Amino acid sequence: MDEDTSGPSDAPSFWVAPPQPGVDAGNPFRATEILADPGVGVRAPRRRTAIVASVAALSVAAVAGGAFAAYNVLSGGGAQPEEVLPASTVAFVKIDLDPSAGQKLALLQLLQKFPNASGLKDSDKSFGDWLMRRLSESAGPNDVNYEQDIKPWLGQRFAAADVPDSTGKSGEALLVLQETDEKAAAAGLDKLKRSAGASSFDYAFSSGYVVVSSSGDGAHKAVEAAKTASLAGNEQFTNDVQALGSDEIVTAWADATKVGQQLKSALSAVGGRLGALGADGSASTKLLDQTYQGRYVLGLHATSDSVELRTLVRGGKSKPAGATVSSLGSVLPGAWAVLDVAGLDQSIDSAWATLSALPGLGSAITQAKGQYGIELPGDLKAVLGSELVVSAAGDLTSPEVVAAAKTTDGAKAQEVLDKLLSAAGVDPSVVAQRVDGNRLYVGSSARAVARAGTGTITTDPLFQQAVADPGTAQAIVFVDLSKVWKALGDGASLAGTTEEVKHVAAIGVSSVSGGGDTSVTIRVIFS
């Protein structure tokens, strides 16, 4: 693994980042590196976290196998990692491979849809059996022997956490690993420490878990603090996680305000060296203040025919509830892709208030008005309206695409659009358009524009399955992949993938927000 020496040594130890779509094929333990050293953009030198990253890589390979006799028990249970972390923890990610019976069965059933792509074998009797075998097969050479030194004691749950120091301006990355044999775990960790040549390393046992840190006494301090007040007893944490409302395989939580404080501290340190970045009152600091508010919560769970990822923002900046989507009837009939966003006018106003603080924007607005007669943000709001729905249908190589804007005055919106097109050097007469009352349709062809609004997608069973709560959503994305596979044809190559990818039938995303809370649900449906 290459040494990473970017960023200041006082960089935050944890950054809550959007989930990545896959794992680097050249590095099978990339996902666990993120857990062990999750800095994104600003990272601490690897010398402080090398041992933690090593433990994480080995633990993921072993976590599916350590005590998998219990994997056949009908329900999960027992102590959880949050019980051995202090209540002051500001960010937390947990993977639970001993969930309820329904989750265990669902995970195996999903694997069975992709036997070739996943490398599933008859000997894999559970998701855990498969994961343990696949990760142990992909592990490279190491002085620590997985079968002898790790597998005998490592259980099925582990977590990564950011526990702040006394100032709250920086924190330490901790790993929490379930263990079934304290003596064997100590021997394995000591061997791993010697193998990695770690100069600073600490671990401490508590309630069937071992807490690992890269500092001299970080793990012991965390365990002692948890005995007085644990994260599991943090009412804000428990309420936020319970709001997910289901049995999760992956759970993540962060106090975004406190994480933002750590990031600002790191940016200020970088800014001191670069001259301006992150300085008090700067645009970057204000952006962090507006972005990192409240708490972030994430949960991932499975059913026999779907995987659902739900993210919540709770206690953020209070704002009025936005309008719900109402333009799904404006899509193309037979659409295989739909994007519908309501409350665009409000979003533009909010974003403009933030962007207006950026240097140089004022002069750009003045230039646009003087040269092209464009009023910003007014003309942008006029043409996009309060809601915009975009849909695609037909052939994949040359699809029909139509955007329909819900406005207060469709004819006025068309005038503004023609002005914007002319400013961009495009002849408005070559762009297919149609005004229907307060709706402006713009599309790839006159035929497509004429067809838009003649059908609906809300009665499509796959749409109903993929999109969560469309009646209350303020933004929706839907992709009917079954139509995509059909359009490609039976003999079409799927970029080297197997035909098993056709089991992915649809993807749906829905978002709703109001007050200080936002919820985004992503579903992947399998056939």
Side-chain angles (χ1 to χ4, degrees):
M1 203 178 297
D2 294 336
E3 180 172 321
D4 182 357
T5 58
S6 62
S9 61
D10 55 352
S13 60
F14 200 100
W15 178 303
V16 177
Q20 298 302 309
V23 177
D24 182 356
N27 184 356
F29 292 125
R30 174 65 182 137
T32 54
E33 289 180 4
I34 294 173
L35 287 178
D37 181 23
V40 176
V42 180
R43 297 178 61 183
R46 188 177 182 273
R47 62 178 180 274
R48 296 182 58 198
T49 55
I51 187 67
V52 179
S54 298
V55 173
L58 288 169
S59 68
V60 169
V63 74
F68 261 99
Y71 205 95
N72 294 319
V73 178
L74 290 181
S75 63
Q80 296 290 335
E82 55 264 38
E83 296 175 32
V84 299
L85 288 168
S88 61
T89 300
V90 299
F92 172 81
V93 181
K94 175 177 69 175
I95 297 179
D96 186 353
L97 293 180
D98 188 22
S100 67
Q103 290 291 287
K104 295 174 187 176
L105 294 174
L107 288 167
L108 184 59
Q109 288 171 346
L110 287 179
L111 278 180
Q112 290 170 342
K113 295 180 184 293
F114 306 92
N116 294 321
S118 66
L120 190 67
K121 294 184 177 180
D122 292 339
S123 58
D124 298 327
K125 303 303 181 183
S126 70
F127 175 81
D129 289 341
W130 169 82
L131 184 62
M132 177 272 291
R133 180 181 58 78
R134 292 290 287 174
L135 291 179
S136 61
E137 286 174 355
S138 64
N142 195 293
D143 292 341
V144 177
N145 184 284
Y146 160 74
E147 292 289 338
Q148 296 179 5
D149 302 320
I150 304 297
K151 181 178 178 180
W153 60 266
L154 198 58
Q156 302 172 59
R157 294 175 177 140
F158 70 93
D162 174 22
V163 177
D165 61 15
S166 58
T167 68
K169 294 182 178 180
S170 63
E172 177 162 16
L174 301 179
L175 283 177
V176 183
L177 311 173
Q178 190 179 43
E179 54 85 12
T180 58
D181 185 330
E182 186 172 313
K183 183 177 180 180
L189 290 171
D190 287 341
K191 185 174 182 180
L192 185 60
K193 177 181 178 180
R194 292 191 299 270
S195 174
S199 59
S200 179
F201 177 55
D202 185 38
Y203 63 85
F205 293 95
S206 180
S207 303
Y209 287 89
V210 56
V211 179
V212 182
S213 76
S214 59
S215 73
D217 59 358
H220 279 84
K221 285 183 176 179
V223 166
E224 287 303 311
K227 292 177 181 178
T228 302
S230 72
L231 181 61
N234 182 327
E235 187 174 350
Q236 194 171 69
F237 167 81
T238 56
N239 289 341
D240 289 343
V241 171
Q242 288 172 4
L244 292 170
S246 60
D247 180 28
E248 309 297 335
I249 304 164
V250 179
T251 303
W253 175 88
D255 186 324
T257 303
K258 294 179 180 178
V259 171
Q261 291 171 354
Q262 291 186 2
L263 294 176
K264 284 196 295 183
S265 176
L267 285 174
S268 295
V270 174
R273 287 186 279 272
L274 298 182
L277 181 64
D280 290 342
S282 69
S284 59
T285 299
K286 291 180 180 178
L287 187 60
L288 281 173
D289 287 337
Q290 294 177 0
T291 304
Y292 285 87
Q293 295 184 0
R295 288 97 55 205
Y296 297 162
V297 196
L298 177 148
L300 176 71
H301 67 271
T303 69
S304 60
D305 59 3
S306 70
V307 172
E308 179 176 294
L309 175 70
R310 189 178 182 204
T311 62
L312 307 174
V313 177
R314 308 190 81 204
K317 183 179 180 180
S318 182
K319 57 184 178 181
T324 58
V325 297
S326 60
S327 296
L328 289 170
S330 300
V331 305
L332 285 161
W336 43 261
V338 174
L339 166 67
D340 193 346
V341 181
L344 268 179
D345 48 356
Q346 298 175 6
S347 299
I348 291 172
D349 283 337
S350 177
W352 204 262
T354 301
L355 293 174
S356 60
L358 296 178
L361 183 62
S363 59
I365 295 173
T366 301
Q367 181 180 1
K369 182 177 180 180
Q371 187 171 354
Y372 304 111
I374 297 174
E375 296 278 357
L376 294 175
D379 282 351
L380 188 60
K381 292 167 59 178
V383 72
L384 294 179
S386 61
E387 183 176 357
L388 182 69
V389 57
V390 181
S391 57
D395 185 72
L396 295 178
T397 58
S398 183
E400 292 183 327
V401 180
V402 172
K406 180 181 178 182
T407 72
T408 56
D409 186 337
K412 174 64 175 177
Q414 188 175 37
E415 291 178 12
V416 174
L417 176 62
D418 289 347
K419 182 169 60 174
L420 293 173
L421 289 172
S422 297
V426 178
D427 183 355
S429 65
V430 304
V431 177
Q433 304 178 38
R434 173 168 68 94
V435 175
D436 184 0
N438 66 345
R439 295 187 188 273
L440 171 63
Y441 293 86
V442 182
S444 56
S445 67
R447 177 181 181 274
V449 168
R451 295 180 67 233
T454 61
T456 181
I457 200 167
T458 55
T459 57
D460 185 329
L462 201 53
F463 175 90
Q464 295 173 345
Q465 186 180 7
V467 179
D469 304 318
T472 59
Q474 294 155 2
I476 284 175
V477 176
F478 172 66
V479 181
D480 186 340
L481 289 169
S482 67
K483 287 188 174 71
V484 173
W485 308 141
K486 185 176 180 180
L488 285 173
D490 293 336
S493 171
L494 297 176
T497 62
T498 70
E499 289 294 298
E500 292 172 355
V501 73
K502 293 183 180 179
H503 283 301
V504 184
I507 298 173
V509 183
S510 63
S511 172
V512 60
S513 62
D517 297 349
T518 299
S519 172
V520 178
T521 303
I522 303 172
R523 287 181 183 164
V524 181
I525 308 300
F526 302 94
S527 61

